[in-house]
Amino acid sequence: MPNEIDAAPEGFTLTNQGRTFTPFATEPVLYKPLAGVNWPPTAYDPDSHLLYICANDRIGGASREAENSPPTHTESWMGGTFNLTNIPARGLFVAMDLTTHKIKWSQQWQYSCSAGSIVTGGGLIIHGRNDGRVVALDKDSGNKLWEFQTDAGVNGTASTFMHEGNQYIAIISAGSLYSTGKHGDSVWLFSLNGEMEPLVEASATSPAAPASLRPTAVAPVNVVEPIAGYTANLDSGRQIYTTLCTTCHGPTGEGGHQGGVPLIDKELNLGHIMTTATFGRNTMPGFATAYTREQLQDVGTFIVEEIMPTAKQ
Ligand code: HEC
């Protein structure tokens, strides 16, 4: 993974070639805070000594507030702002030879790598993609041998087992919090003698511009208006809030992880919430592919009617 930025994005001057430990001040500097091996499990092939690494490459930046002063040696300090650019992120899948530390082959995707992989005794790498595919690659070349389109992002790691003489692959298709894929809720079991056709056309879940390619650092050009005459379903809204938004905004909207700002003690209107939830903003991902406009209206209405008033009491 290149640790520096090879060419400055238009309008920026690079400091220190954007290397990972570039110091920053009140002026934002660009570097690669989100470049490296991703969390999902890596697969290792004991025969070839290849390690199959899921990695991401993304340019971002950081700046600090003017009033922050450095800590003394007995204190810690956290502050400043983490910025993302609208330069497209890419995912990388890399086979690295652990005996030489050299890359044997690698391939890049136009969205993040957010899934673990397994390598089978028969020489297949099985892994999932944000666009809903389960893919089998040749472990020596990385060439694609097979794929199957499911109905949601495939971000779990596959399992394989033998049953009555047949080898099976089991994998979950449900999307995930951090990837841009569609959300769903299904488990798939594949065998070599299976005959089922892909569930949906590949084009239906592989849009030309996946959400990860949409600009996130600029204010959304499009504004999502509430659907006139639609009565929001507060139970559905509560469910989406507690499964998704809570992580970053806290169970009662007080703010939380990943820089999620408080949603309380301010006036947020429904259209603003729906627009933000659809397109995302800065480090908040957009959920246009994960939820329908009705569902985003459900969660927006839940925030307006149940989260915001509680805080004012
Ligand atoms: C991965 C973390 C994350 C998740 C998940 C997340 N948000 Fe956010 N959200 C953020 C961050 C970070 C910001 C601040 C963005 C900025 O820099 O303006 C934000 C901002 C917002 C704002 C704008 C608040 C304001 O003051 O204008 C709204 C509204 C919002 N989020 C709604 C939602 C909803 C609804 C969901 C669930 C469907 C959700 N968010 C899920 C991280 C997240």
Side-chain angles (χ1 to χ4, degrees):
M1 176 66 62
N3 147 279
E4 59 193 32
I5 300 170
D6 63 347
E10 184 180 352
F12 285 93
T13 308
L14 292 179
T15 308
N16 191 29
Q17 199 63 45
R19 290 188 179 86
T20 299
F21 296 108
T22 301
F24 55 87
T26 44
E27 280 295 306
V29 299
L30 290 186
Y31 68 114
K32 291 206 182 166
L34 295 180
V37 178
N38 205 357
W39 294 325
T42 32
Y44 175 66
D45 177 29
D47 295 333
S48 60
H49 303 293
L50 292 178
L51 185 72
Y52 300 97
I53 300 166
C54 163
N56 288 317
D57 192 6
R58 184 162 195 184
I59 297 175
S63 54
R64 70 164 172 84
E65 291 98 26
E67 65 272 17
N68 291 131
S69 54
T72 69
H73 71 287
T74 55
E75 293 167 333
S76 61
W77 171 75
M78 243 179 103
T81 311
F82 166 62
N83 326 97
L84 285 179
T85 63
N86 56 4
I87 307 291
R90 59 177 185 158
L92 275 97
F93 195 70
V94 180
M96 186 169 134
D97 186 335
L98 294 195
T99 62
T100 60
H101 280 200
K102 296 249 160 62
I103 290 174
K104 177 149 187 214
W105 54 261
S106 69
Q107 52 180 251
Q108 59 170 298
W109 309 334
Q110 53 173 344
Y111 41 70
S112 65
C113 178
S114 312
S117 57
I118 57 169
V119 53
T120 70
L124 297 179
I125 297 167
I126 311 278
H127 68 135
R129 302 286 186 83
N130 298 353
D131 64 15
R133 285 177 301 152
V134 181
V135 179
L137 306 178
D138 179 308
K139 74 167 189 180
D140 295 319
S141 63
N143 290 343
K144 190 175 73 190
L145 300 174
W146 171 86
E147 66 178 11
F148 183 92
Q149 181 69 46
T150 70
D151 57 343
V154 183
N155 300 110
T157 306
S159 293
T160 185
F161 60 93
M162 295 290 285
H163 178 64
E164 294 179 352
N166 285 319
Q167 185 172 12
Y168 291 88
I169 302 280
I171 197 163
I172 288 176
S173 156
S176 82
L177 178 61
Y178 295 114
S179 69
T180 49
K182 201 175 151 215
H183 286 200
D185 187 13
S186 54
V187 178
W188 293 84
L189 190 66
F190 299 100
S191 76
L192 276 185
N193 47 13
E195 288 171 359
M196 192 177 159
E197 294 294 324
L199 194 62
V200 285
E201 288 295 319
S203 58
T205 51
S206 315
S212 63
L213 286 185
R214 292 191 202 124
T216 53
V218 292
V221 189
N222 298 321
V223 172
V224 179
E225 298 286 353
I227 308 163
Y230 173 74
T231 309
N233 178 338
L234 285 178
D235 287 333
S236 140
R238 180 179 302 105
Q239 212 207 337
I240 295 169
Y241 189 88
T242 50
T243 47
L244 180 63
C245 322
T246 300
T247 326
C248 299
H249 291 292
T252 53
E254 72 277 20
H257 298 115
Q258 302 279 332
V261 293
L263 299 177
I264 50 180
D265 293 328
K266 46 173 107 158
E267 296 299 326
L268 299 176
N269 70 43
L270 184 56
H272 170 75
I273 299 173
M274 289 174 66
T275 303
T276 313
T278 304
F279 299 107
R281 217 169 77 191
N282 296 327
T283 51
M284 172 172 154
F287 302 110
T289 51
Y291 292 109
T292 62
R293 197 166 151 206
E294 283 81 2
Q295 286 173 313
L296 293 175
Q297 186 153 340
D298 293 344
V299 67
T301 310
F302 173 75
I303 292 171
V304 171
E305 292 185 7
E306 301 204 9
I307 296 277
M308 289 165 52
T310 343
K312 294 212 184 85
Q313 280 164 15

